[in-house]
Amino acid sequence: MASPDSATLREPVVLPPMPGEHEARAAYPPIGLERSRVTGGRLVFDRDEGFDRALAQGFFLVRIPEGTDPAAGDRFAAHFHEERAGGDPLDAYRGYRHVRVPGDYQGYFDREHDQWENFYVERDNWDVLPSEVARVGRGMAGLGVTILRGVLEHLRLPREHWARVTGGLTEDRGHQMLAFNHFRSHKGVRGSKFHRDSGWVTVLRSVDPGLLALVDGRLWAVDPEPGHFIVNFGSSLEVLTERLDRPVRANVHGVVSTERAPGQPDRTSYVTFLDSDLTGTVYRFENGTPRPLQSVAEFAGQEVGRTYDDSGAL
């Protein structure tokens, strides 16, 4: 439960109940996302105004870099929740409901109020994954770090503060988490609650429509594009920049209730979350200086608690 005195607590957001995918398809058009790529280690947008628009929307597309093949992650997301069959080649991707992963917020989660079931694993524990899945995670995490550096450079934040305010992420340290999602269409509840990600940068692999985001006071569909990851910004980056001339938006988003005919595959996805270590501090830039606001542990508890509860509030 967040303290009412929390320096990072945003104003309440009023949202409709999460619709089913057929209702959402009719009601919410897809938003036009800015496109980008990484060239020479730098984040480059296809349009001159693309970077600033992406910061304001909170979402954009980035081309999947050469050498990062998402297929192994796709297989893992489709099968991690299943029981092993015994000798089946896909068994390397199954049985993860029972795998114990050390550390906070890691391992298998059965979300009571959502279709979501997840497997979360931080970089230090990626050896529990098939090696080709861990390789995808390293590629996505490296891409996320490049994006974070690009944002801070674009905003002209002094480089000497980067490592401190990001908990070392700009130096490829910090908290780098892979999260695999399976949406159980047989479960007649929301796909996932509307929420904000709590960290810095989220790199999403999805091939199915169904993600909705609140942008400029209106709900839009955020649809995947072949050959691209979807990127969105988290609350740590929003808090850091909220008093700058060009603040970064961590927009509210969630997943519609998956509706499938018998025999059709469920929706799956996976992401890499870049976050500060729980022992770190949340900062806000004021007058050119980062001001400490709250511990990351308190901030994470505040944000995560509202992500998975059964209330209609955020």
Side-chain angles (χ1 to χ4, degrees):
M1 180 67 67
S3 165
D5 299 324
S6 169
T8 61
L9 192 62
R10 271 66 53 85
E11 290 295 319
V13 176
V14 178
L15 290 161
M18 181 63 73
E21 60 182 320
H22 294 101
E23 177 188 348
R25 195 174 298 126
Y28 303 113
I31 193 169
L33 295 177
E34 296 298 325
R35 295 167 179 264
S36 68
R37 64 197 182 278
V38 170
T39 302
R42 297 176 64 87
L43 179 64
V44 178
F45 280 81
D46 291 2
R47 304 194 311 150
D48 290 343
E49 64 272 31
F51 211 140
D52 285 340
R53 187 163 180 264
L55 299 184
Q57 284 189 330
F59 287 84
F60 65 94
L61 297 169
V62 64
R63 188 180 303 163
I64 297 175
E66 290 186 19
T68 299
D69 181 358
D74 295 343
R75 286 194 297 273
F76 191 88
H79 298 287
F80 74 89
H81 57 281
E82 298 173 346
E83 297 297 327
R84 291 197 168 103
D88 187 310
L90 289 173
D91 267 359
Y93 304 92
R94 295 186 175 119
Y96 283 83
R97 289 167 58 97
H98 312 295
V99 172
R100 298 290 176 261
V101 183
D104 295 323
Y105 305 113
Q106 296 190 65
Y108 173 80
F109 296 89
D110 180 354
R111 304 299 180 186
E112 178 184 0
H113 308 297
D114 305 281
Q115 290 180 328
W116 245 350
E117 58 180 340
N118 323 103
F119 186 74
Y120 284 9
V121 56
E122 205 271 335
R123 179 174 62 171
D124 289 346
N125 294 314
W126 286 356
D127 57 355
V128 307
L129 299 169
S131 60
E132 63 273 21
V133 177
R135 190 178 308 119
V136 176
R138 288 192 292 272
M140 293 174 72
L143 177 62
V145 169
T146 298
I147 290 168
L148 178 58
R149 290 172 180 158
V151 170
L152 300 181
E153 182 176 41
H154 184 73
L155 295 176
R156 299 180 181 176
L157 297 183
R159 191 176 293 266
E160 64 264 25
H161 297 308
W162 289 9
R164 176 158 61 102
V165 300
T166 68
L169 278 171
T170 54
E171 314 309 310
D172 198 29
R173 299 193 302 272
H175 202 62
Q176 302 181 20
M177 180 87 80
L178 268 170
F180 298 89
N181 310 304
H182 171 234
F183 296 88
R184 296 162 286 185
S185 58
H186 66 271
K187 193 175 180 183
V189 293
R190 65 197 183 196
S192 76
K193 184 182 174 180
F194 284 113
H195 63 282
R196 298 180 185 89
D197 293 347
S198 63
W200 293 91
V201 172
T202 299
V203 181
L204 166 66
R205 165 65 173 176
S206 175
V207 298
D208 290 312
L211 179 64
L212 296 181
L214 184 68
V215 180
D216 295 329
R218 179 180 174 186
L219 279 176
W220 299 83
V222 179
D223 289 345
E225 179 73 20
H228 293 74
F229 292 127
I230 297 171
V231 178
N232 68 276
F233 300 119
S235 295
S236 294
L237 190 52
E238 180 174 85
V239 169
L240 182 76
T241 64
E242 63 188 353
R243 296 195 178 172
L244 301 181
D245 292 338
R246 291 180 291 177
V248 180
R249 295 293 301 175
N251 280 325
V252 173
H253 59 282
V255 178
V256 301
S257 180
T258 300
E259 299 164 341
R260 293 290 190 265
Q264 287 187 311
D266 284 339
R267 173 182 288 106
T268 61
S269 65
Y270 59 96
V271 304
T272 298
F273 294 119
L274 298 185
D275 208 339
S276 298
D277 189 89
L278 291 174
T279 60
T281 302
V282 176
Y283 293 88
R284 178 195 292 139
F285 256 93
E286 298 180 10
N287 301 316
T289 302
R291 174 191 167 201
L293 298 179
Q294 188 178 24
S295 74
V296 172
E298 291 173 348
F299 182 65
Q302 167 185 298
E303 299 297 302
V304 171
R306 295 186 298 160
T307 299
Y308 300 113
D309 67 25
D310 195 31
S311 74
L314 179 66

